[in-house]
Amino acid sequence: MKEKVVLAYSGGLDTTAVIPWLKETYNYDVICCCVDVGQESELDGLDERAKISGAEKLYILDVVDEFVDDFIMPTVKAGAVYENKYLLGTAFARPLIAKKLVEIARKEGAVAICHGATGKGNDQVRFELGIKALAPDIKVIAPWRCNDTWKMQSRQDEIDYCKAHGIDLPFSPDSSYSRDRNLWHISHEGLELEDPSQEPNYEHLLVLGVSPEKAPDEPEYITLSFEQGAPVALNGQKMKASDILRKLNELGGKHGIGIIDIVENRVVGMKSRGVYETPGGTILVEAHTQLEELILDRDTLSLKKELSNRFANILYEGKWFTPLREALQAFVEKTQEPVTGEVKLKLYKGNIIKAGTTSPNSMYSESLASFTTGDLYDHHDAEGFINLFGLSLRVRAMLNEKKKQEDLSN
């Protein structure tokens, strides 16, 4: 019997060309594995396409709820945003995909796992760190790094290679955006985006929604309900987190929300420019942030913001399966225990506008915050506090004045 390789399969041109290449180069039986994290229509026709391409078997694994509950929600609770803009849509899907590839490799007795990530991107790091953490004995094959055997350098090269191996599928040599889609977002790279001086062609580019200019002229109000940091209802209707996200994607896309154009620093050292559509995720993160600011005390919120940046870096770099991520997540989960309440928002032409936040655990006290003196706060107490809080400043100023006088007398 031939040895087996599990291929991370999307059905696109790259992974289609990889199938005959793996058989020809390594004499492997190819087991394709497509991990469904919310690609939707991109999964249509995959089974037939994999068989035409020479695969022995295709697994399509629906892991959308696991993706949302075990990877997206911990990241939302952590408030993790890479470089203050990127909501990590591609990054937190990769460790789950790596986990499922390993599971199928074990089930099939495969000796290798193959992915189609390029040698310039972040995904090669994310996939392979996940595989190393879960299955250090399994070989990893990355065709784009195999310069001696992978000779294809363009889409036309890949189309010609497929046809030479009896695979004639309706792929086009025309250039297009490089995209990655899941339930959380869709990313766009390539074409005019490779030049940071060029404005994105939003008419041609957008998939999940419209630009703010084309959004409705009337705002729309929504209410999100949270329990211990997780969303549990939208507009009073209880539903699971993945369904809430689907609905928020519709609403956010309709109102032109969650479109960002960024130049980010990749793990491998280069800068890259991309446009990300994250309509539902942007709303969810904003609502969660607003609820936390009402509930968490100053010290906890301050430290959490520091650690959220670290959490984002860990995730971006593909280090999900590490003790540090587990420890940070445990801290985050503790902070989320009181984060229960409702957040009302107004969606309008790309904007998310506060419309009221309530919580049974709110630390906001109207009697304390108002200018009217309440029972818990005596204005006179502030004088002593300021004297002690500024004592070091006063002592330093007195010493400086003394030294100045001594210099003048000399």
Side-chain angles (χ1 to χ4, degrees), residues 93-375:
R94 296 321 190 208
L96 177 56
I97 294 172
K99 176 184 174 185
K100 296 303 173 181
L101 291 172
V102 168
E103 289 177 3
I104 296 301
R106 295 299 193 205
K107 179 179 179 179
E108 290 286 338
V111 299
I113 292 173
C114 178
H115 66 78
T118 72
K120 286 186 175 182
N122 294 315
D123 284 342
Q124 58 179 339
V125 179
R126 295 164 180 160
F127 282 135
E128 294 183 37
L129 289 188
I131 295 167
K132 289 178 187 296
L134 300 174
D137 57 303
I138 291 181
K139 178 181 179 181
V140 176
I141 300 173
W144 284 97
R145 302 202 306 255
C146 297
N147 296 332
D148 294 337
T149 53
W150 181 267
K151 302 298 184 181
M152 292 163 276
Q153 300 298 316
S154 68
R155 289 181 63 84
Q156 188 61 58
D157 287 346
E158 291 177 320
I159 291 171
D160 293 341
Y161 181 82
C162 287
K163 287 183 177 179
H165 289 79
I167 305 166
D168 192 3
L169 291 169
F171 293 116
S172 170
D174 297 338
S175 295
S176 61
Y177 296 106
S178 174
R179 290 184 166 111
D180 179 79
R181 182 174 183 175
N182 57 48
L183 187 62
W184 183 253
H185 88 156
I186 185 167
S187 64
H188 312 268
E189 295 179 342
L191 298 186
E192 79 277 0
L193 302 181
E194 292 186 346
D195 182 355
S197 71
Q198 297 297 308
E199 180 181 6
N201 182 2
Y202 288 121
E203 291 289 327
H204 179 57
L205 181 149
L206 296 177
V207 172
L208 300 183
V210 299
S211 63
E213 294 91 337
K214 292 196 170 183
D217 292 331
E218 296 297 322
E220 184 169 357
Y221 287 89
I222 65 168
T223 301
L224 273 165
S225 303
F226 290 82
E227 290 180 6
Q228 295 189 337
V232 294
L234 175 61
N235 294 331
Q237 182 178 353
K238 290 265 188 179
M239 59 182 84
K240 61 184 180 180
S242 58
D243 287 337
I244 290 175
L245 188 52
R246 288 186 180 94
K247 186 61 179 176
L248 289 177
N249 278 334
E250 294 177 18
L251 294 167
K254 172 185 174 183
H255 290 280
I257 287 166
I259 303 167
I260 59 168
D261 177 1
I262 60 175
V263 174
E264 69 193 69
N265 290 293
R266 286 183 178 174
V267 177
V268 293
M270 70 179 70
K271 289 184 180 290
S272 67
R273 194 259 190 115
V275 169
Y276 296 88
E277 294 179 73
T278 320
T282 301
I283 297 170
L284 193 58
V285 169
E286 179 62 26
H288 182 265
T289 299
Q290 290 184 22
L291 189 59
E292 277 194 331
E293 71 182 21
L294 195 69
I295 295 167
L296 298 186
D297 64 273
R298 183 188 183 198
D299 287 343
T300 301
L301 187 59
S302 176
L303 180 58
K304 185 172 180 292
K305 286 183 176 180
E306 291 179 31
L307 295 181
S308 68
N309 187 56
R310 188 65 184 275
F311 195 102
N313 287 340
I314 288 170
L315 212 165
Y316 188 83
E317 294 168 359
K319 297 176 180 176
W320 182 269
F321 300 108
T322 60
L324 181 55
R325 192 275 305 167
E326 293 174 0
L328 288 179
Q329 189 171 330
F331 166 79
V332 168
E333 289 296 335
K334 183 64 179 178
T335 68
Q336 297 305 289
E337 290 178 0
V339 183
T340 294
E342 288 192 348
V343 181
K344 188 176 181 182
L345 303 166
K346 180 166 66 174
L347 311 180
Y348 181 65
K349 289 191 176 296
N351 295 291
I352 305 171
I353 304 165
K354 281 186 178 183
T357 309
T358 61
S359 170
N361 302 318
S362 172
M363 291 189 67
Y364 181 89
S365 169
E366 186 175 352
S367 63
L368 277 174
S370 71
F371 287 100
T372 304
T373 302
D375 295 335

Side-chain angles (χ1 to χ4, degrees), residues 61-72:
L61 308 177
D62 182 352
V63 298
V64 171
D65 285 334
E66 183 179 356
F67 177 44
V68 173
D69 296 339
D70 296 346
F71 292 83
I72 291 179

Side-chain angles (χ1 to χ4, degrees), residues 9-12 16 19 30-34 40-61 167 169:
Y9 183 66
S10 69
T16 297
I19 294 173
V30 180
I31 310 299
C32 289
C33 180
C34 177
E40 298 189 1
S41 61
E42 294 179 11
L43 303 178
D44 295 345
L46 282 193
D47 192 40
E48 181 182 0
R49 181 168 292 191
K51 289 178 180 177
I52 291 173
S53 304
E56 297 297 316
K57 190 183 296 185
L58 169 66
Y59 288 89
I60 299 179
L61 308 177
I167 305 166
L169 291 169

